[in-house]
Amino acid sequence: MTTDDPAPAQSLAAAYEAGATLEGLVKKTGLSYHAVRDNVLAAGVTLRPPRILIPECPPGMIDQYYQGASIRQLADKHDRTYSQTRRMLLQAGVSLRPRGRR
């Protein structure tokens, strides 16, 4: 499959626009990542920004948050950024407290 053949490029583009990832199309077609990417781009598709994978919360982080630790304290303790710690807690389904203590 090359960019010289518009039919495969169009089918890859259609699959990508329907939600498939470039990595998923690589696995499905057996083509290289660059071949898939080149075909999708040749079909005139604008690529989506990459999704940032959020790691799971380290053991005990959720309990520590529920026991009163702040996101900043957890970030420092687990060697993460504030934003990354907040995203991990949200991904784990934690209801965050309002900002600041008053």
Side-chain angles (χ1 to χ4, degrees):
M1 204 179 296
T2 67
T3 56
D4 296 336
D5 186 357
Q10 291 299 324
S11 65
L12 286 171
Y16 183 80
E17 288 182 322
T21 63
L22 293 176
E23 292 83 3
L25 292 171
V26 167
K27 288 179 185 176
K28 183 178 178 181
T29 63
L31 295 172
S32 72
Y33 177 87
H34 291 289
V36 169
R37 184 178 185 278
D38 290 346
N39 275 282
V40 170
L41 289 172
V45 174
T46 301
L47 298 181
R48 299 182 295 267
R51 291 185 181 156
I52 298 172
L53 297 178
I54 301 170
E56 290 191 24
C57 288
M61 181 185 277
I62 295 170
D63 290 334
Q64 292 166 1
Y65 182 77
Y66 283 137
Q67 292 170 3
S70 69
I71 295 174
R72 175 73 55 214
Q73 291 168 331
L74 293 172
D76 291 343
K77 181 175 183 174
H78 295 280
D79 197 30
R80 308 274 186 196
T81 65
Y82 177 91
S83 296
Q84 188 178 36
T85 302
R86 184 176 184 279
R87 285 193 305 265
M88 286 190 299
L89 290 169
L90 288 171
Q91 179 177 297
V94 174
S95 295
L96 300 181
R97 297 184 296 267
R99 292 185 68 169
R101 293 192 182 185
R102 296 185 180 167

